[in-house]
Amino acid sequence: MNAWKKIITAGALGLLLYVGIYSYALHSDGFKFVKSTLERSHVIQEKVGGVRKVKLSLFGAFKEKYVNSDQIVTVLVDVIGDTSTVTVDVKASRKDGAWKIDAALVNGVPITLD
């Protein structure tokens, strides 16, 4: 196998791995909780108008950490609204089966999600 075939094969495998991780993140419980919280948040609605879409940032962070039965999720999402779009960095945790938002930042400024 020549060098170009190896490079193309490695690139294709890397792309497939990225698509798999992105797909997993979109269907994770943590992302679903963060998405629904942002869609209902009055603070976010004040910043973007009516929330039209909450999507996982294509090259943003998504981290999951499991500690016993608890889970910690850090995710970077884009919130698209009627008037503007913001990027929100959210840290959420699940303890004893209940999710909560631990911290949220919009452009580096902390906000409290309701």
Side-chain angles (χ1 to χ4, degrees):
M1 187 181 274
N2 65 27
W4 285 109
K5 286 184 180 178
K6 289 180 182 179
I7 291 171
I8 291 171
T9 301
L13 290 174
L15 181 63
L16 284 173
L17 177 64
Y18 185 81
V19 167
I21 292 170
Y22 189 81
S23 178
Y24 170 79
L26 285 176
H27 296 92
S28 72
D29 289 339
F31 176 72
K32 290 177 184 177
F33 168 74
V34 168
K35 180 180 177 186
S36 67
T37 302
L38 292 173
E39 288 172 339
R40 293 187 319 260
S41 172
H42 296 292
V43 174
I44 295 295
Q45 290 175 9
E46 288 175 5
K47 293 187 179 299
V48 300
V51 176
R52 287 191 280 142
K53 188 174 187 179
V54 177
K55 64 180 190 166
L56 188 62
S57 187
L58 189 57
F59 296 107
F62 177 81
K63 297 180 197 173
E64 273 188 326
K65 182 178 179 182
Y66 291 90
V67 180
N68 298 327
S69 63
D70 300 337
Q71 183 179 1
I72 300 168
V73 174
T74 303
V75 63
L76 191 65
V77 295
D78 295 322
V79 180
I80 302 165
D82 293 331
T83 59
S84 67
T85 300
V86 295
T87 301
V88 185
D89 188 1
V90 181
K91 183 176 181 182
S93 61
R94 181 182 68 192
K95 187 169 185 165
D96 298 327
W99 281 99
K100 73 172 187 160
I101 301 290
D102 296 325
L105 302 170
V106 173
N107 300 325
V109 178
I111 61 169
T112 303
L113 297 174
D114 47 357

